[in-house]
Amino acid sequence: MEPPLIAVLNGPNLNLLGTREPEKYGSATLDDVEALCAETADELGLAIDFRQTNGEGELISWVQECRGRAAGIVINPAGYSHTSVALMDSLLAVELPVVEVHITNIHRREAFRHHSYVSRAATGVICGLGVGGYSLALRAMAGLIVQDESE
Ligand code: CA2
């Protein structure tokens, strides 16, 4: 049997990880984050489709494509967390478990980062634990999928 597929979606500017502002976001690159996710997924018996885009429309299209294809979505919506009703709507419409990840603790940062539209569509949120949060999100997702199957 095919392993369940988890989409790991990354929003704008996360392609810059490891190249700027290491004091805020750490020194791992997005390729390092993908390798970490692949390693965790392997351990959990999951498959991942890891992507990054700077475009809001593209991110929304990827969410829509998850319907019938993926078992869950791990998403770091980056700046769109705080602005995008459209991204929230797409995550609500897809009817899949969603774990929202932020590398930084958005609640310790500027006030405009304290609210995330995406959190309204998320099953759970992990923030402030660095890129290790992606690994934790996949672990949580493994539990959510099993729960879904038994319902
Ligand atoms: O903490 C997070 O993961 C964020 O989603 C990161 C976003 C920010 O807008 C959110 O409020 C919190 C920013 C992503 C930009 O990442 C960069 C990485 C390195 C250098 C510059 C930007």
Side-chain angles (χ1 to χ4, degrees), residues 10-14 25 53 56 59 76-84 87 102 106 109 112-113 115-118:
N10 293 279
N13 299 309
L14 286 164
Y25 296 109
T53 179
E56 183 176 5
L59 194 54
N76 183 345
Y80 294 140
S81 317
H82 319 298
T83 62
S84 183
L87 178 60
H102 297 283
I106 56 175
R109 299 185 64 187
F112 64 84
R113 296 186 203 274
H115 176 263
S116 165
Y117 286 100
V118 166

Side-chain angles (χ1 to χ4, degrees), residues 6-119:
I6 308 302
V8 184
L9 305 180
N10 293 279
N13 299 309
L14 286 164
N15 53 313
L16 300 176
L17 269 185
T19 67
R20 308 218 177 100
E21 302 188 70
E23 66 293 342
K24 210 175 279 165
Y25 296 109
S27 57
T29 65
L30 196 63
D31 282 349
D32 295 332
V33 178
E34 181 168 8
L36 171 69
C37 288
E39 198 181 304
T40 308
D42 208 39
E43 184 196 318
L44 296 166
L46 300 172
I48 56 162
D49 182 2
F50 188 98
R51 301 185 189 190
Q52 187 274 333
T53 179
N54 292 325
E56 183 176 5
E58 187 165 41
L59 194 54
I60 291 167
S61 295
W62 288 350
V63 169
Q64 290 183 4
E65 285 165 20
C66 285
R67 201 184 173 94
R69 181 174 169 263
I73 299 174
V74 170
I75 186 166
N76 183 345
Y80 294 140
S81 317
H82 319 298
T83 62
S84 183
V85 172
L87 178 60
M88 174 192 74
D89 285 342
S90 70
L91 288 162
L92 287 168
V94 78
E95 293 181 324
L96 288 172
V98 173
V99 181
E100 178 183 357
V101 178
H102 297 283
I103 296 164
T104 59
N105 181 349
I106 56 175
H107 303 288
R108 291 183 80 172
R109 299 185 64 187
E110 304 95 321
F112 64 84
R113 296 186 203 274
H114 297 179
H115 176 263
S116 165
Y117 286 100
V118 166
S119 295

